[in-house]
Amino acid sequence: MLTAVVVAALALVPLGFVAYDAAAVGPREAYDLLWRPRIGELLWNTVRLVVGGMLACAVVGVGCAWLVERTDLPLRRLWHALLVAPLAVPAFVTSFGWVSLTSSVQTYAGAVLVVTLAYYPLVYLPAVVTLRGLDPALEETAQALGHGRLAVFVRVVLPQLRPALLGGSLLVGLHLLAEFGAIQMLRFPTFTTAIYDQYRSTFNGGAATMTASVLVLCCLLLLLTELRLRGRRRYARLSAGSARPADRQRLGRWTPVGLLAAAGVVALAVGVPTYALVHWLVVGSSTAFPVADLLAATGTSLALGAAGAAITVVLAAPVAWLAVRHRGRLAGLLEGSTYVSTSLPGIVIALALVTASLRVVPDLYQTYALLLSAYAVLFLPRAVVSLRAAIEQAPPVLDDVARSLGTGPLETIRRVTLPLIAPGVASGAALVFLAVSTELTATLMLAPIDVATLATRFWSASSSVAYGAAAPYALLMVLISLPATVLLGRVSAGGGDR
Amino acid sequence: MTTLVLEHVSRSFGPVRAVDDVSLAVPPGSVTALLGPSGCGKTTLLRVIAGFLEPDAGSVALDGRVVAAPGRCVPARDRGIGYVPQEGALFPHLDVAANIAFGLRGRAGRGRRERVARVAELLDLVELPRTFAERAPHELSGGQQQRVALARALAPAPSVVLLDEPFSSLDAALRASTGEAVVAALRAAGATGVLVTHDQDEALSLTDQVAVMRAGRLVQAAAPRELYARPADADVARFVGGAVVLPARARAGRATCALGDVALVSEADEAALEGEVTLVLRPEQLRLTPERAATHGGALARVIDVGFHGHDATVRLALLDDADVRLLARTDGLTAPEPGAQVRVDVVGPASAHPR
């Protein structure tokens, strides 16, 4: 119990620091810092990027989900695998792929295109799951009540897709607010890139913090919207038993159109970045295979991933345990607090930890300890979600049975609880591991000076337009991410990757 | 062979007294049902006996040894009480043999050969094929899972086995056969059984003693036949089988009610009753004959509706003299009257009665 409170408190440290710093700036100065045309421009850019990205992701995600789940599109399993594939490519690599081939995407429309291609799977996956679970009897009933196909889709299917659609879109929104690497490459200034530049150029705590606090407000606004929308309604089948699969819509002579649409999305989202990587690997003048550097960066990424995963899972365990075994207000509050903090952009968390460490424990600045705690705060929810599901696999009644058979508490944990939750713990650790090993923003700001990961190497190479030198690092990151993507695509249950 | 004795056991959750001053003795080798609607405290009582909960007051004794009293509770793992939860709760990561052998200690637990022999013996006891030993729990049907759960509870040879609504998740046909097999295995193992259930058929047909609980209190504990013939009050009567409850006036072992003059069960309590009483009849005690007029005794009634079940039928009636008096009769399915028909109602056998 106490440990869970401590973990939740730790997760809230960054939020607290942003709030404290913002309050410390003083009203006069805050007004001056905030009431500038620059902030207005950033706000306008951020909002139109987020809104545009969310809408485009919703359309692409639902459209693809419908094609794959509800039509007789040929090769559906292949399309599904390919449509999930962008999850394996970090957004800043997708962005790199486009930017390195054509500078014409460095506009608003280009930015929306690129972030949509990177993030639409966050809508696609929950939409696929919902469409698969939808009871066809509902649609048949609606048809029997005299509705045409289109009316059925609008009045029955779409409302049921709403939770998946809203949840996925809001997740996209949070990711877009937090995205730094991809947007920096697109040269489309938003809050994250501005915070980073302010931090880099001046170490000006005040300006960066004020900008960050506006960003935090945007995030909390989105998060609140999500909570409200999620809590209000339930769409469940009322009867027991599993739904039978729905009949698929015959595409007929529209088949080529469907194929073209799916192929188009896949070509833009997977094909272009892949082509760019291969192109720069093969023809790039700066291409070199500094094997030692590659190995060192890979080693660092993997080691950080392993350490981050271990720490995060250990911290998540008490929170998840409380949430499952001792449901109540406090447990819910603790679980919620881990989510709030981690919906904050990595850049804000990194900034808060930098300020916090410089002021309170300067020795921690640019140490592994600080970097790992940033990872823990960022990725705690992924671990909590997996562990929750795992602990639900070990209901308390099994403990009762074990006790009645003469087993002591420790022996019960060893013989019953651990074997049951092991798979969930492993998958939670794997998710965190993969997230950490491709993390860019917090690593850039917090890593010890001489430490380079795949992401930071890639970043420094591509920032100095050494595209050929950047390509091998990007390729390695994609390879590392593949297993988690396969896992997500296969499980397809549960909402997204948060 | 162990006697399980509960004395004045109480247990509250916050302001709710889930179990309120319950005293009950379970004779060795017998099977007792804790019967009551959901939320009556029967599962809480079971968990107190098992050692998962401590009582706030009162004591639980096994063979004269107090295992639970406020402040001094023997932990569940040292009580030697078997436990079969709802839906079996087999360990999903272990196969059937490992589930059954989970609680084996000492020689039987260590030696491979002893373990295999004990597992086989227990599979025989619960009437499952020995080849099931290698199966995973999810490869078994619900009834089979329940039998394995019982074998697992019986493996360390406990003196008492507690079963918490073990058949409620099974479908009707499987419920009866699994129930019989489980009770047969309990008796063959010589274990004392306590079965929590809300199903009165199950309680009456499977057990030696039925303890009826209501709002945390023990209302009546009696052998099934006794319970059915002489329910402690009208509510118990309604809960255990259907009941026709009528106001009556008692005198010298007989009672006069809307259906005429009825004999009371020949027990000391009823024989001594005088004056205003509540009379309890079972639906099958009402005999219906098609007739236009009452000749001797009996009363005339009109059939309101008939629930046809094949082997029998439940007939709802209203008295002709006083349409406010509603009756429930159970008749042969094939000879049931039609709705709207007029019938004569006679009472067969003695009724139980309670002072008003």
Side-chain angles (χ1 to χ4, degrees):
Chain A
M1 189 71 193
L2 197 68
T3 35
V5 175
V6 172
V7 170
L10 277 180
L12 286 178
V13 162
L15 185 63
F17 248 90
V18 171
Y20 176 83
D21 266 21
V25 165
R28 181 78 221 159
E29 202 185 338
Y31 180 85
D32 289 345
L33 282 171
L34 284 179
W35 206 250
R36 291 180 297 158
R38 176 70 177 153
I39 294 281
E41 184 197 333
L42 288 177
L43 187 63
W44 166 236
N45 274 351
T46 306
V47 167
R48 65 186 177 136
L49 181 71
V50 167
V51 171
M54 281 168 72
L55 287 177
C57 283
V59 171
V60 175
V62 170
C64 290
W66 182 77
L67 269 181
V68 168
E69 272 303 316
R70 280 305 171 87
T71 66
D72 61 348
L73 191 74
L75 303 174
R76 283 187 307 270
R77 294 177 65 91
L78 176 70
W79 289 121
H80 178 64
L82 286 172
L83 285 168
V84 181
L87 282 180
V89 186
F92 56 86
V93 173
T94 310
S95 180
F96 159 80
W98 281 88
V99 172
S100 67
L101 290 179
T102 165
S103 61
S104 63
V105 289
Q106 289 174 335
T107 59
Y108 170 63
V112 169
L113 171 74
V114 171
V115 297
T116 302
L117 293 174
Y119 284 118
Y120 77 86
L122 296 180
V123 177
Y124 170 78
L125 270 181
V128 160
V129 173
T130 310
L131 279 179
R132 193 174 299 162
L134 216 63
D135 191 345
L138 286 175
E139 287 160 71
E140 287 159 9
T141 312
Q143 280 180 20
L145 290 170
H147 290 294
R149 289 243 178 219
L150 187 66
V152 169
F153 187 81
V154 171
R155 294 190 55 181
V156 179
V157 179
L158 221 47
Q160 303 224 38
L161 270 176
R162 220 179 70 156
L165 194 57
L166 284 174
S169 304
L170 288 167
L171 201 57
V172 170
L174 285 175
H175 271 88
L176 289 184
L177 282 177
E179 182 57 54
F180 161 69
I183 298 174
Q184 180 84 325
M185 273 186 186
L186 290 164
R187 301 204 187 288
F188 188 76
T190 61
F191 279 122
T192 44
T193 61
I195 294 170
Y196 184 76
D197 292 341
Q198 282 168 346
Y199 167 76
R200 265 292 128 100
S201 58
T202 60
F203 275 90
N204 180 347
T209 310
M210 285 320 292
T211 321
S213 59
V214 179
L215 181 55
V216 166
L217 283 182
C218 294
C219 287
L220 291 182
L221 205 69
L222 266 189
L223 195 71
L224 276 181
T225 323
E226 185 189 7
L227 285 179
R228 285 205 55 156
L229 290 172
R230 193 197 286 167
R232 214 181 299 156
R233 277 204 226 172
R234 286 181 163 239
Y235 297 89
R237 298 182 64 237
L238 296 178
S239 59
S242 58
R244 86 201 129 79
D247 296 333
R248 290 181 181 275
Q249 173 95 48
R250 288 257 171 80
L251 284 180
R253 60 202 170 86
W254 290 95
T255 305
V257 179
L259 282 174
L260 209 62
V265 171
V266 169
L268 293 179
V270 185
V272 170
T274 312
Y275 169 77
L277 283 187
V278 173
H279 172 77
W280 290 113
L281 277 177
V282 175
V283 307
S285 57
S286 57
T287 300
F289 278 89
V291 178
D293 284 356
L294 278 174
L295 281 181
T298 311
T300 311
S301 284
L302 294 180
L304 280 177
I311 290 172
T312 311
V313 167
V314 167
L315 290 178
V319 179
W321 183 266
L322 270 185
V324 176
R325 286 292 178 92
H326 302 274
R327 282 168 213 270
R329 282 187 97 83
L330 183 61
L333 208 66
L334 291 180
E335 204 193 1
S337 68
T338 67
Y339 285 89
V340 168
S341 216
T342 45
S343 69
L344 300 186
I347 196 150
V348 173
I349 287 172
L351 187 70
L353 287 178
V354 166
T355 358
S357 72
L358 282 179
R359 205 168 307 157
V360 185
V361 266
D363 287 350
L364 271 181
Y365 180 57
Q366 292 205 328
T367 58
Y368 282 113
L370 197 63
L371 182 59
L372 288 175
S373 40
Y375 290 153
V377 172
L378 271 172
F379 300 126
L380 205 56
R382 297 184 194 220
V384 171
V385 165
S386 299
L387 282 179
R388 258 194 85 129
I391 292 170
E392 272 161 5
Q393 296 301 305
V397 65
L398 294 181
D399 292 4
D400 288 349
V401 171
R403 280 200 281 165
S404 79
L405 291 168
T407 316
L410 283 179
E411 201 190 341
T412 306
I413 290 179
R414 182 175 63 77
R415 291 179 66 189
V416 180
T417 318
L418 276 185
L420 285 174
I421 69 173
V425 174
S427 78
L431 282 178
V432 176
F433 170 83
L434 291 152
V436 169
S437 51
T438 56
E439 208 283 337
L440 174 66
T441 325
T443 318
L444 271 181
M445 291 177 70
L446 292 174
I449 299 272
D450 52 340
V451 171
T453 65
L454 289 174
T456 59
R457 282 269 182 198
F458 168 81
W459 185 250
S460 56
S462 59
S463 313
S464 51
V465 204
Y467 292 145
Y473 295 104
L475 191 67
L476 278 171
M477 276 188 284
V478 171
L479 289 182
I480 288 185
S481 308
L482 269 178
T485 315
V486 172
L487 196 77
L488 273 174
R490 197 174 294 160
V491 174
S492 286
D497 71 332
R498 203 144 52 104
Chain B
M1 292 285 157
T2 310
T3 316
L4 171 67
V5 178
L6 311 181
E7 279 179 348
H8 306 291
V9 173
S10 294
R11 167 74 203 208
S12 304
F13 295 106
V16 183
R17 296 205 95 178
V19 172
D20 188 3
D21 194 26
V22 169
S23 297
L24 177 69
V26 179
S30 72
V31 177
T32 291
L34 292 179
L35 176 67
S38 50
C40 74
K42 52 194 194 303
T43 293
T44 304
L45 186 59
L46 193 82
R47 294 178 68 78
V48 168
I49 301 173
F52 305 139
L53 284 176
E54 280 193 32
D56 298 331
S59 67
V60 179
L62 277 176
D63 241 0
R65 185 173 75 112
V66 173
V67 293
R72 54 195 174 107
C73 275
V74 179
R77 64 185 156 116
D78 296 329
R79 287 196 190 182
I81 292 183
Y83 175 53
V84 179
Q86 265 181 48
E87 301 178 15
L90 298 181
F91 299 119
H93 59 300
L94 301 176
D95 67 11
V96 167
N99 261 290
I100 294 177
F102 191 92
L104 291 179
R105 306 274 139 163
R107 270 174 52 81
R110 250 170 263 138
R112 215 188 104 72
R113 196 178 304 161
E114 284 90 342
R115 270 167 55 113
V116 172
R118 182 75 178 134
V119 167
E121 191 184 328
L122 284 157
L123 282 174
D124 290 349
L125 190 68
V126 296
E127 295 171 16
L128 285 176
R130 291 187 177 192
T131 51
F132 273 36
E134 321 250 295
R135 293 208 185 176
H138 66 84
E139 295 172 317
L140 305 180
S141 71
Q144 290 164 345
Q145 288 185 19
Q146 278 303 350
R147 295 184 195 207
V148 174
L150 178 70
R152 177 179 63 184
L154 287 173
S159 49
V160 176
V161 176
L162 308 176
L163 304 104
D164 186 4
E165 307 225 12
F167 316 121
S168 57
S169 60
L170 307 180
D171 62 49
L174 206 55
R175 197 179 302 164
S177 63
T178 309
E180 282 158 22
V182 161
V183 169
L186 275 178
R187 295 197 198 282
T192 305
V194 177
L195 168 73
V196 160
T197 179
H198 61 259
D199 181 333
Q200 41 111 354
D201 276 345
E202 205 170 280
L204 293 178
S205 63
L206 294 178
T207 63
D208 307 304
Q209 176 179 244
V210 180
V212 182
M213 290 189 66
R214 193 165 63 215
R217 289 186 155 272
L218 180 65
V219 194
Q220 187 175 15
R225 202 177 274 266
E226 163 86 1
L227 182 76
Y228 193 71
R230 298 187 59 217
D233 57 37
D235 285 334
V236 173
R238 284 197 195 94
F239 187 64
V240 182
V244 178
V245 179
L246 296 169
R249 176 172 289 277
R251 195 170 167 278
R254 299 190 72 79
T256 312
C257 65
L259 295 177
D261 195 35
V262 178
L264 295 180
V265 286
S266 56
E267 303 286 337
D269 293 352
E270 268 86 357
L273 279 176
E274 291 284 336
E276 299 292 312
V277 295
T278 300
L279 198 69
V280 175
L281 286 161
R282 294 300 184 182
E284 61 274 15
Q285 284 184 280
L286 302 190
R287 188 140 301 167
L288 310 182
T289 346
E291 185 145 332
R292 301 219 55 83
T295 44
H296 48 316
L300 286 182
R302 185 172 302 283
V303 175
I304 302 172
D305 58 25
V306 179
F308 182 69
H309 307 295
H311 50 82
D312 64 8
T314 47
V315 183
R316 293 202 304 137
L317 307 136
L319 273 193
L320 277 194
D321 292 345
D322 181 357
D324 287 342
V325 179
R326 295 295 169 98
L327 305 170
L328 186 70
R330 187 172 296 134
T331 70
D332 231 315
L334 294 175
T335 59
E338 293 293 324
Q342 192 169 303
V343 293
R344 197 183 81 212
V345 183
D346 291 304
V347 176
V348 184
S352 63
H354 309 280
R356 256 196 287 170

